[in-house]
């Protein structure tokens, strides 16, 4: 079955540590996205990538970094510079960039930093 | 800028109808609708691409008024399975990012 796999489902880290969230898709989609979800705030875009080796900042990119070395993979690193990293992180992909194509989401990673 | 959704929350009895609205301050290219159940990933419902377009998905349909920069999601004869949080996402002209609203929590009670 095609889909998006995020791992792990739950992640716990100490403050000051960088942590990398995994996102893999086998849908052969060009575009991939990272969203952050906090209670009552909907989904906010962190980074997105429309093609391998290229990515753009979203609305809340500060304290995060990404890479897109392979079409199927788009890992997100939450750095120690992110002031409030505890959140639910969702990875998504779409067939093409822009507004024509639906987003397919992974099941998310819930990150807790203490 | 995030689109504005209304209402923020609604409680319905099974079989009742609901309307969820989504409005933007920008000229819209497309509107997406998604439903998310607690602790799960959002699931795509539909995309509306043209002004005035309407689409249907089972007993869930939507309209897109390009001139008013608004979209509405209609849920008729609601079922228990319709419970969840509904998000609209908008793409404005010249900006390829999909920006989500803050969501509308729908609770269906028997």
């Amino acid at each position: 079955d095609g889909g998006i796999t995020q791992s792990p489902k739950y992640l716990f880290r100490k403050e000051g540590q960088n942590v990398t969230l995994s996102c893999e898709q086998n849908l052969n989609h060009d575009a991939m996205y990272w969203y952050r979800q906090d209670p009552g705030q909907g989904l906010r875009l962190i980074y997105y990538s429309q093609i391998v080796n290229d990515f753009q900042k979203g609305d809340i990119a500060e304290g995060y970094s990404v890479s897109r070395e392979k079409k199927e993979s788009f890992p997100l690193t939450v750095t120690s510079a992110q002031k409030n990293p505890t959140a639910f992180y969702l990875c998504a992909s779409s067939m093409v960039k822009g507004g024509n194509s639906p987003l397919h989401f992974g099941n998310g990673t819930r990150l807790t930093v203490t | 800028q995030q689109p504005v959704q209304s209402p923020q929350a609604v409680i319905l009895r099974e079989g009742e109808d609901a309307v969820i609205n989504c409005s933007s301050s920008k000229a819209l290219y497309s509107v997406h609708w998604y439903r998310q159940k607690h602790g799960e990933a959002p699931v795509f419902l539909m995309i509306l691409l043209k002004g005035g377009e309407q689409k249907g998905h089972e007993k869930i349909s939507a309209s897109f008024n390009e001139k008013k920069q608004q979209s509405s999601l209609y849920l008729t004869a609601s079922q228990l399975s319709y419970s969840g949080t509904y998000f609209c996402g908008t793409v404005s002209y010249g900006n390829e990012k999909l920006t989500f609203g803050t969501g509308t929590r729908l609770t269906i009670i028997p």
Side-chain angles (χ1 to χ4, degrees), chain B residues 86-104:
Chain B
Y86 289 79
F87 292 98
C88 71
T90 58
V91 179
S92 54
Y93 283 97
N95 185 343
E96 57 204 355
K97 296 186 296 183
L98 179 64
T99 302
F100 286 93
T102 53
T104 296

Side-chain angles (χ1 to χ4, degrees), chain B residues 23-99:
Chain B
S23 64
S24 174
S25 59
K26 299 182 179 182
L28 297 178
Y29 173 75
S30 67
V31 179
H32 297 220
W33 285 98
Y34 295 80
R35 176 172 61 208
Q36 183 180 31
K37 294 192 179 281
H38 184 69
E40 298 180 6
V43 173
F44 169 74
L45 295 175
M46 64 191 80
I47 289 178
L48 300 106
L49 294 173
K50 299 177 183 177
E53 185 176 29
Q54 295 195 28
K55 280 195 171 181
H57 177 79
E58 298 176 342
K59 292 182 180 179
I60 301 174
S61 61
S63 63
F64 176 25
N65 187 325
E66 190 174 21
K67 288 183 180 178
K68 292 186 178 180
Q69 297 160 190
Q70 293 176 346
S71 177
S72 294
L73 186 71
Y74 306 95
L75 300 99
T76 58
S78 56
Q79 306 168 12
L80 294 175
S81 62
Y82 287 1
S83 290
T85 301
Y86 289 79
F87 292 98
C88 71
T90 58
V91 179
S92 54
Y93 283 97
N95 185 343
E96 57 204 355
K97 296 186 296 183
L98 179 64
T99 302

Side-chain angles (χ1 to χ4, degrees), chain A residues 60-76:
Chain A
I60 56 165
E62 185 175 349
Y64 300 97
S65 65
V66 294
S67 62
R68 186 89 186 273
E69 296 176 1
K70 299 185 296 182
K71 186 175 184 177
E72 57 271 21
S73 179
F74 192 41
L76 173 74

Side-chain angles (χ1 to χ4, degrees), chain A residues 1 34 45 60 66 71-72 75 81 83 100:
Chain A
D1 280 343
W34 275 105
L45 183 63
I60 56 165
V66 294
K71 186 175 184 177
E72 57 271 21
K83 295 179 181 177
N100 288 0

